[in-house]
Amino acid sequence: MASGAGIEGLFERHQNYPDVEPQERLARLVGLDDQKSRLTKILGLLVNPDGLQAWAKTHHPGAQRLLNGTLRRPPLVVLAGDVGSGKSELAETIGDAVARQEKIDITLFPLSLSARGQGRVGEMTQLISAAFDYTVAEASKLKSAAGKARGAVILLVDEADALAQSRENAQMHHEDRAGVNAFIRGIDRLANGRLPAAVIMCTNRLNALDPAVKRRAADILTFSRPDETQRHAVLDEPLNALGFSAAQVAGIVGATGPQAPRTYGFTFSDLTQRLIPTIILDAYPMQAVKPARALELALKMIPTPPFQESAS
């Protein structure tokens, strides 16, 4: 963990990769293989553009113009979707996969929501600008004149709609508009400097993000509640460890899906942070977990309601 008086309050903490703890957390994120793969590739290209060049020489000689368009995309990825769908957990741990893939050290800076400030004139703009100043400075130290960078930086903005909401909103405060402008300038600074840095934004309200921010995204990855196959992937290992048969696991998987009149099932976090602990603690300390009782608990548990995003 790094620290310094000049950045106090800007970031919640610093996370260095590779590291065992985020590696284990990333491995537990089952059912998100597509998002993991796409995000790892995008971030990997930011720190090692030569990798794409080598791929093209082998498979598509003469495709340099196509590569330029791919490599010049702004270093911004938006993770959007329902609550409890794994966005934040993936954003906080994917740096480990990139660090191991590219064989470099990566540092994550999660931007603190306190960066919004207290609403005083110019405060939000100054805080956001300071966060990007620090990110640019750290990434500049890691940039190589040619080839792979010596390291990389990821700036994480969770609940991004709180910082980069659309300036088209008529009720938006002037200070918030100025903050969004500062955020966009920060993204452009990273892009123009071709620095080994990326910004990951997580939001439950994709429609609330400023259009200029969304246009700058190299990719927008969407997340939804786990389907039956994904719920099985999450539940199979822990329930097997508790002695459940395949049929009993299937019963829990079914119970955690949509149940009339409810049209939605459990989120990833409902399964891992609520259901499994509830099943274990219900039996503790006097008896073993019983599959029939676990099914009863699953049917009684109310999953987290979906986030209702307004059309505006």
Side-chain angles (χ1 to χ4, degrees):
M1 298 284 184
S3 62
I7 61 168
E8 183 178 354
L10 290 178
F11 307 112
E12 295 176 1
R13 65 189 184 284
H14 296 181
Q15 172 67 58
N16 296 317
Y17 310 109
D19 188 57
V20 173
E21 190 261 349
Q23 182 185 36
E24 293 176 345
R25 287 168 57 193
L26 183 61
R28 289 196 294 268
L29 273 178
V30 298
L32 296 175
D33 291 346
D34 179 59
Q35 290 93 335
K36 286 182 182 180
S37 175
R38 288 168 62 187
L39 190 53
T40 301
K41 288 180 181 180
I42 293 169
L43 297 176
L45 287 179
L46 293 174
V47 300
N48 183 22
D50 282 4
L52 191 63
Q53 304 278 6
W55 169 83
K57 287 180 181 179
T58 301
H59 299 285
H60 300 284
Q64 185 62 43
R65 290 184 179 179
L66 293 176
L67 298 189
N68 290 339
T70 301
L71 293 172
R72 288 176 180 171
R73 295 189 300 175
L76 170 65
V77 183
V78 176
L79 311 186
D82 203 358
V83 295
S85 57
K87 304 183 301 297
S88 297
E89 185 71 359
L90 180 60
E92 292 179 2
T93 57
I94 195 65
D96 186 82
V98 179
R100 294 176 191 277
Q101 172 183 282
E102 304 299 333
K103 297 180 174 58
I104 61 170
D105 292 331
I106 295 177
T107 303
L108 175 76
F109 296 114
L111 186 65
S112 172
L113 280 181
S114 64
R116 294 193 67 184
Q118 305 300 318
R120 291 187 289 271
V121 176
E123 183 181 25
M124 181 177 174
T125 300
Q126 291 172 3
L127 290 168
I128 293 175
S129 297
F132 273 101
D133 285 345
Y134 189 82
T135 301
V136 168
E138 291 298 299
S140 297
K141 299 174 186 176
L142 304 170
K143 183 179 180 179
S144 296
K148 183 168 67 175
R150 296 184 296 276
V153 174
I154 297 174
L155 177 62
L156 170 59
V157 185
D158 207 351
E159 300 184 35
D161 43 273
L163 283 176
Q165 60 182 299
S166 176
R167 292 165 295 178
E168 296 175 350
N169 186 343
Q171 285 76 41
M172 192 176 190
H173 190 275
H174 170 75
E175 176 62 13
D176 291 330
R177 293 178 188 272
V180 176
N181 290 336
F183 194 91
I184 292 171
R185 287 196 300 270
I187 296 293
D188 291 344
R189 284 179 66 193
L190 294 177
N192 294 335
R194 305 295 293 271
L195 297 172
V199 179
I200 300 177
M201 304 179 73
C202 299
T203 180
N204 300 328
R205 305 169 59 221
L206 181 61
N207 289 341
L209 288 184
D210 191 87
V213 173
K214 288 188 283 189
R215 284 197 302 270
R216 282 165 171 77
D219 205 346
I220 297 177
L221 307 186
T222 56
F223 294 71
S224 58
R225 296 190 177 225
D227 58 21
E228 183 174 346
T229 300
Q230 292 170 315
R231 294 197 307 277
H232 187 275
V234 172
L235 293 170
D236 188 49
E237 182 178 339
L239 294 182
N240 277 333
L242 294 173
F244 284 44
S245 68
Q248 290 165 338
V249 171
I252 302 292
V253 170
T256 53
Q259 300 289 328
R262 192 186 72 232
T263 58
Y264 54 89
F266 283 44
T267 68
F268 282 102
S269 59
D270 286 335
L271 298 174
T272 60
Q273 299 176 22
R274 295 179 60 211
L275 179 61
I276 295 300
T278 296
I279 290 172
I280 292 172
L281 292 176
D282 180 73
Y284 174 84
M286 302 302 295
Q287 60 185 351
V289 171
K290 297 179 180 179
R293 173 61 177 166
L295 179 59
E296 181 183 344
L297 292 170
L299 290 169
K300 287 182 177 179
M301 184 172 287
I302 300 175
T304 304
F307 187 91
Q308 300 297 326
E309 182 172 8
S310 64
S312 61

